[in-house]
Amino acid sequence: MGDITRFAPSPTGYLHLGHAASALFAAQNAGASGRFLLRIEDIDQTRCRPEFITAIYDDLAWLGLHWEQPVRIQSAHFSDYQSVLDRLSERGLLYPCFCTRKEIQAEIARIGNAPHGPDGALYPGTCRHLGAQERHDRMEAGESYALRLDMGQAIKQAGRRLYWHDRAAGRQLAVPEIFGDVVLARKDTPTSYHVSVTHDDHLQGISLVTRGEDLFFASHLHRLLQELLGYDVPEYHHHKLLIGPDGKRFAKRDKSETLQSMRDAGMSIEDVLARIGPLS
């Protein structure tokens, strides 16, 4: 049996060469005897647009890719992710954080030598020690908040050392504490990438997660969530990111050259493959 892989873009813009490489890499690793799935990760309802979903389908079809139906659209499954959060909350692993970004930055500056993780300085745990009544009252009053994972308690409940396997880097010891008390949801965004992707990879039976090396560290946190939730642990392969002529990796925010513009300019699939180079 081949692997079950997936390509899971967010429809916040048009796909570029980096996306093409990632999708082709996932399909290649599924092979003829495996399964290649497409998932639309549109949990950010302020930035995702339906026209970008349509463009994703068109671009991938142009690349000659085929995927199973139906496509999982994450925004149609917010109740699933709420159930995951409820399970974690019932175990005392989540707490509401009412701190603004400005307040967090001020507290980090006051501490001085704050520990850092992949996303910068770690949250100092200001709201972790609030009493249950104060938390309830502030939420009932309509204050904005984020739901954070109590990392210390989560690691304690996991109860053992956790590992995951990367096909390029080998066996990895999970060190999720590098994220500190990470945000898993917000009042106005009912899930996070970490929750939704971990749940969906398990639900869809993904056996090999292929994604860019910029998400390598996220696997440490996802391994912890898998343990807490009793989820299967897939293998991982973090591929290298494509670099443009300017030496920077392709990104939507930089308005990188899109597959749509290449197609409109009359470029062939062979042209695209030549620009991507070997998939690894």
Side-chain angles (χ1 to χ4, degrees):
M1 294 292 292
D3 281 306
I4 303 174
T5 68
R6 47 63 164 183
F7 175 58
S10 297
T12 57
Y14 294 106
L15 299 186
H16 51 62
L17 272 178
H19 292 118
S22 187
L24 290 166
F25 185 84
Q28 174 182 283
N29 276 273
S33 59
R35 297 166 57 202
F36 170 64
L37 308 182
L38 174 63
R39 185 165 73 223
I40 302 298
E41 299 193 340
D42 61 340
I43 59 175
D44 186 348
Q45 295 288 279
T46 62
R47 298 174 58 222
C48 296
R49 300 180 188 173
E51 59 265 33
F52 293 144
I53 298 178
T54 300
I56 288 170
Y57 296 155
D58 292 343
D59 287 341
L60 296 182
W62 179 60
L63 290 173
L65 294 177
H66 304 277
W67 54 91
E68 295 185 11
Q69 298 290 342
V71 173
R72 184 170 175 86
I73 309 292
Q74 286 189 334
S75 62
H77 301 282
F78 281 131
S79 60
D80 288 6
Y81 313 131
Q82 184 59 56
S83 295
V84 172
L85 294 167
D86 289 344
R87 290 174 61 188
L88 295 173
S89 182
E90 288 167 2
R91 295 173 63 172
L93 295 178
L94 300 183
Y95 65 89
C97 171
F98 304 96
C99 299
T100 65
R101 287 185 175 87
K102 185 177 181 180
E103 290 170 339
I104 293 173
Q105 291 170 355
E107 179 63 13
I108 290 172
R110 187 189 67 79
I111 294 172
N113 190 24
H116 281 62
D119 299 326
L122 300 187
Y123 174 67
T126 308
C127 289
R128 189 190 311 127
H129 307 294
L130 296 179
Q133 189 61 52
E134 182 177 355
R135 292 176 179 175
H136 176 269
D137 291 345
R138 295 178 70 170
M139 293 172 72
E140 286 293 304
E143 286 191 43
S144 294
Y145 63 88
L147 285 177
R148 292 185 179 273
L149 179 69
D150 187 328
M151 183 60 70
Q153 285 298 317
I155 292 174
K156 184 177 180 179
Q157 288 196 23
R160 64 189 179 105
R161 286 192 167 201
L162 305 176
Y163 296 89
W164 52 277
H165 185 263
D166 186 277
R167 289 193 177 178
R171 191 177 191 228
Q172 299 292 308
L173 172 66
V175 284
E177 58 267 29
I178 59 176
F179 284 92
D181 288 3
V182 64
V183 171
L184 294 188
R186 297 185 185 278
K187 179 183 177 182
D188 54 352
T189 305
T191 185
S192 67
Y193 166 76
H194 300 301
V195 169
S196 56
V197 74
T198 302
H199 174 75
D200 286 353
D201 283 343
H202 169 74
L203 181 72
Q204 296 185 293
I206 304 301
S207 62
L208 175 63
V209 174
T210 65
R211 57 190 179 196
E213 61 185 1
D214 56 326
L215 290 169
F216 185 91
F217 288 110
S219 301
H220 292 277
L221 174 59
H222 298 175
R223 179 65 189 90
L224 174 61
L225 293 176
Q226 290 158 358
E227 186 73 11
L228 295 171
L229 296 164
Y231 286 171
D232 296 331
V233 182
E235 282 193 284
Y236 292 84
H237 191 155
H238 294 86
H239 58 76
K240 293 189 177 299
L241 302 176
L242 281 192
I243 304 298
D246 58 358
K248 298 180 180 179
R249 69 183 180 91
F250 289 101
K252 294 175 187 174
R253 63 179 177 273
D254 297 328
K255 301 187 184 301
S256 301
E257 190 172 7
T258 66
L259 298 183
Q260 185 181 69
S261 67
M262 295 177 189
R263 189 167 68 249
D264 293 343
M267 292 181 66
S268 68
I269 299 173
E270 289 72 24
D271 294 329
V272 173
L273 294 177
R275 291 189 60 179
I276 290 174
L279 298 172
S280 60

